[in-house]
């Protein structure tokens, strides 16, 4: 952390509180994970400024709650149009601050546009239901219905890996539902959140409805979680931090999207050539820094050797380098610390019966796409979340064996299965202990309107715009006595 100086060459980025850019006493340099160059100076908030942001959201909550649905939808639609106009700029911001290859950054922007579009649509269809009171003897002469009302202030804490779209998954439904937001973006990727905040300001969102507070999690995040005025905390990140948030949140509602080590089952009689490209995308897009990245493959013994050979060959052809180059597929991990951690896990496999068929080392400071076969379940690369371009491939003799291995995990976000057997697909959909079963695709599949969330240590609650709106509203019952 460095003190603010007036002659810095890189641009200063400020907090966004109550519709105004707020300077702080302390700024921290933001470095590119790929080049190491300083790309910005980021304002560091303290507890007092975070509380100021919460107060702004608190004071604006009535304005948002009373805003008609069509107006909330219009603001979100305007953001969609503005983001379409600035899509290339947005993708470059993502790529520069996170080292996400530009092809994937552009895909993230396209998804972000869809997410805000879905949010605009959901703003117009928030409704309750009528209750058949006369189904009970004591209900004769009464009618009743439910309403969905905004919960209040949403405290949103977002990660680095999808710095624009995961912000959208919290901000979009929050605004659609008529809430206000205090957003703490990941320390490595604040530029995307600040960019979006400026678009919302241009779109006419009332001052104080969206406040962006950058700074240390132990200061900003804790202040958000512990403040009684915050009604709900929505967090995407590591299980350890998520558990800490839940312990501190008290009676606040929490939605926690946490870790995973997502698995894919490949049944016999699968055309391996038809699935390799999807497996490559699932395992190595964004350097494997995806919550549902394909990390474990359990291939039937009849197709195992063919899959390993073709998967390895395809991985070795991926271009490694500058994330801003249009054909780069693999670039730098988010930090040197992450590189050291993953290299340690890879080194651990060398003392076992596992075999590294691709990668396992650095190329110009970038971890090569790594494939490890015959990896014991106790190894870190198997049982922990790698969050890196590392995938393990093991042989199984049956679907039942594969499902048992998939379920032997503390995580349960999504799992995939490729099979031509309907019975095996149905069996897997019933037996896999995950929040989402993806049949005939990789577990990395996600579109932004579907319910998304996990079981076990993968978290609580569901995202996906309609489902997030339900989380971000309270149900109220209204009963009329007609007698």
């Amino acid at each position: 952390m460095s003190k603010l100086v007036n002659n810095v060459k890189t641009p200063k980025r400020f907090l966004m509180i109550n519709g105004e850019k707020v300077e702080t006493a302390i700024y921290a340099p933001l470095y590119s994970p790929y080049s190491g160059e300083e790309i910005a100076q980021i304002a560091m908030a303290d507890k007092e400024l975070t509380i100021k942001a919460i107060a702004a959201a608190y004071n604006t909550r009535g304005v948002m709650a009373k805003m008609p649905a069509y107006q909330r939808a219009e603001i979100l639609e305007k953001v969609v149009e503005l983001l379409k106009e600035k899509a290339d700029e947005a993708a470059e911001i993502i790529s520069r601050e996170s080292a996400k290859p530009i092809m994937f950054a552009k895909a993230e922007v396209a998804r972000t546009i869809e997410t805000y579009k879905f949010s605009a649509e959901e703003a117009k269809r928030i409704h309750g239901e009528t209750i058949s009171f006369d189904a009970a003897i004591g209900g004769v002469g009464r009618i009743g219905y439910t309403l969905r009302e905004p919960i209040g202030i949403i405290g949103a804490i977002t990660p680095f890996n999808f710095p624009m779209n995961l912000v959208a998954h919290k901000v979009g439904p929050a605004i659609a539902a008529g809430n206000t937001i205090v957003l703490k973006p990941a320390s490595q990727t604040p530029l995307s959140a600040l960019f979006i905040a400026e678009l919302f300001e241009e779109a006419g969102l009332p001052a104080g409805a969206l406040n962006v507070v950058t700074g240390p999690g132990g200061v900003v995040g804790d202040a958000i979680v512990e403040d009684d005025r915050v009604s709900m905390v929505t967090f995407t990140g590591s299980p350890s931090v998520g558990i800490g948030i839940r312990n501190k949140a008290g009676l606040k509602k929490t939605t926690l999207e946490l870790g995973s080590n997502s698995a894919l089952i490949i049944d016999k009689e699968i055309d391996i050539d038809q699935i390799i490209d999807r497996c490559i995308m699932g395992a190595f897009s964004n350097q494997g820094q995806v919550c549902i990245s394909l990390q474990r493959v359990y291939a039937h013994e009849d197709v195992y050797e063919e899959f390993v050979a073709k998967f390895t060959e395809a991985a070795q052809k991926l271009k490694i380098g500058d994330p801003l180059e249009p054909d780069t597929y693999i670039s730098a991990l988010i930090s040197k610390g992450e590189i050291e951690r993953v290299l340690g896990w890879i080194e651990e496999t060398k003392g076992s019966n596992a075999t590294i068929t691709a990668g396992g080392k650095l190329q110009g400071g970038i971890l090569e796409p790594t494939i490890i076969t015959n990896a014991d379940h106790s190894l870190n690369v198997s049982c922990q979340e790698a969050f890196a371009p590392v995938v393990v491939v093991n042989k199984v003799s049956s679907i039942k064996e594969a499902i048992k291995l998939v379920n032997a995990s503390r995580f349960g976000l999504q799992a995939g299965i490729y099979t031509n057997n309907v019975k095996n697909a149905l069996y897997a959909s019933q037996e896999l202990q995950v929040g989402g079963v993806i049949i005939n695709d990789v577990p990395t599949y996600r579109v932004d309107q579907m319910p998304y969330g996990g079981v076990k240590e993968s978290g609580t609650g569901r995202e996906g715009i309609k489902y997030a709106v339900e989380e971000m509203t309270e149900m109220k019952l209204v009963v009329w006595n007609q007698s």
Side-chain angles (χ1 to χ4, degrees):
M1 190 177 296
S2 62
K3 288 190 175 181
L4 172 65
V5 291
N6 294 323
N7 61 348
V8 291
K9 296 180 180 179
T10 51
K12 292 183 293 183
R13 298 309 306 267
F14 312 112
L15 312 180
M16 181 69 77
I17 299 177
N18 202 31
E20 298 180 350
K21 294 178 180 178
V22 177
E23 292 207 47
T24 62
I26 302 294
Y27 284 71
L30 180 68
Y31 299 103
S32 160
Y34 170 70
S35 67
E37 67 175 322
E38 185 178 311
I39 56 178
Q41 288 273 326
I42 306 300
M44 293 286 105
D46 55 16
K47 184 174 181 179
E48 181 180 349
L49 283 169
T50 306
I51 291 173
K52 182 178 179 181
I54 295 168
Y58 187 79
N59 293 335
T60 310
R61 75 195 191 288
V63 174
M64 287 301 297
K66 292 177 182 177
M67 181 182 289
Y70 83 89
Q71 290 185 2
R72 301 196 301 270
E74 284 180 348
I75 290 170
L76 289 159
E77 288 281 10
K78 180 63 175 177
V79 170
V80 168
E81 294 307 312
L82 291 171
L83 190 52
K84 285 180 179 178
E85 294 170 6
K86 300 181 178 183
D88 288 343
E89 180 185 354
E92 185 172 338
I93 289 171
I94 293 170
S95 192
R96 280 170 56 81
E97 69 180 348
S98 71
K100 177 175 288 191
I102 194 70
M103 67 170 76
F104 297 120
K106 288 181 177 180
E108 179 177 349
V109 173
R111 282 184 59 190
T112 303
I113 290 169
E114 281 195 333
T115 300
Y116 285 121
K117 179 70 173 177
F118 286 132
S119 298
E121 293 165 352
E122 286 300 329
K124 299 177 181 179
R125 50 189 182 221
I126 300 172
H127 54 78
E129 62 180 349
T130 57
I131 311 296
S132 300
F133 271 80
D134 62 356
I137 295 172
V140 175
R142 285 172 169 80
I143 60 172
Y145 52 87
T146 60
L147 303 172
R148 305 294 311 194
E149 296 185 337
I151 197 169
I153 301 176
I154 306 294
I157 303 173
T158 56
F160 72 84
N161 58 326
F162 284 85
M164 204 163 283
N165 195 38
L166 291 183
V167 164
H169 270 281
K170 301 180 189 308
V171 171
I175 291 171
N179 295 299
T180 58
I181 309 106
V182 179
L183 168 65
K184 185 220 169 299
S187 295
Q188 179 57 43
T189 54
L191 302 181
S192 294
L194 292 167
F195 174 82
I196 287 295
E198 291 173 358
L199 296 191
F200 269 104
E201 183 180 28
E202 188 176 347
L205 186 69
L210 173 58
N211 306 274
V212 182
V213 188
T214 52
V219 176
V220 177
D222 284 357
I224 292 171
V225 172
E226 294 170 3
D227 196 297
D228 290 338
R229 291 169 295 181
V230 175
S231 301
M232 175 181 174
V233 176
T234 173
F235 168 80
T236 301
S238 70
S240 60
V241 175
I243 292 168
I245 286 173
R246 192 165 188 178
N247 290 338
K248 295 174 184 176
L251 292 178
K252 291 181 182 68
K253 185 181 286 188
T254 56
T255 295
L256 305 174
E257 301 295 341
L258 308 179
S260 190
N261 55 358
S262 296
L264 172 68
I265 299 169
I266 304 175
D267 202 356
K268 59 185 177 181
E269 299 178 354
I270 290 296
D271 185 344
I272 298 303
D273 289 328
Q274 294 296 312
I275 71 172
I276 289 297
D277 285 348
R278 289 296 290 170
C279 291
I280 288 291
M281 182 285 299
F284 302 125
S285 61
N286 195 26
Q287 292 80 261
Q289 296 169 133
V290 180
C291 296
I292 41 177
S293 180
L294 173 55
Q295 186 176 329
R296 299 181 290 156
V297 178
Y298 298 105
H300 192 279
E301 58 192 5
D302 290 357
V303 297
Y304 173 80
E305 298 293 344
E306 180 187 4
F307 177 78
V308 170
K310 291 180 176 179
F311 191 43
T312 298
E313 181 183 8
Q316 291 171 334
K317 292 179 180 178
L318 298 178
K319 182 179 177 181
I320 297 171
D322 187 340
L324 293 175
E325 291 294 329
D327 56 347
T328 294
Y329 205 96
I330 300 285
S331 192
L333 288 176
I334 197 67
S335 70
K336 291 181 180 179
E338 287 297 286
I339 294 172
E340 292 170 0
R341 174 185 61 81
V342 178
L343 285 175
W345 288 11
I346 294 170
E347 189 65 27
E348 178 190 31
T349 69
K350 297 177 183 178
S352 68
N353 293 323
T355 301
I356 299 173
T357 66
K361 59 185 184 298
L362 299 182
Q363 183 181 132
I366 297 172
L367 180 62
E368 295 176 346
T370 299
I371 300 169
I372 302 169
T373 61
N374 195 34
D376 187 86
H377 184 72
S378 64
L379 293 170
N380 280 308
V381 292
S382 295
C383 66
Q384 303 293 336
E385 182 177 36
F387 226 59
V390 177
V391 59
V392 298
V393 185
N394 284 351
K395 183 190 301 184
V396 294
S397 60
S398 68
I399 293 297
K400 187 172 289 188
E401 179 189 1
I403 291 173
K404 182 179 179 181
L405 290 168
V406 173
N407 288 343
S409 171
R410 46 193 275 246
F411 303 113
L413 190 44
Q414 291 192 168
I417 178 171
Y418 279 106
T419 182
N420 296 321
N421 187 307
V422 173
K423 288 185 177 180
N424 285 344
L426 289 171
Y427 179 74
S429 67
Q430 293 168 351
E431 297 297 322
L432 285 167
Q433 298 167 4
V434 293
V437 177
I438 314 298
I439 297 170
N440 287 330
D441 206 347
V442 292
T444 321
Y445 176 78
R446 183 184 182 185
V447 289
D448 295 288
Q449 76 274 29
M450 76 186 206
Y452 175 80
V455 299
K456 299 190 275 189
E457 289 189 34
S458 287
T460 60
R462 291 295 182 271
E463 290 191 335
I465 308 307
K466 171 188 173 183
Y467 308 95
V469 166
E470 291 176 358
E471 301 276 1
M472 294 178 178
T473 53
E474 294 283 13
M475 180 187 292
K476 177 184 281 185
L477 173 67
V478 179
V479 182
W480 290 65
N481 182 357
Q482 301 179 95
S483 57

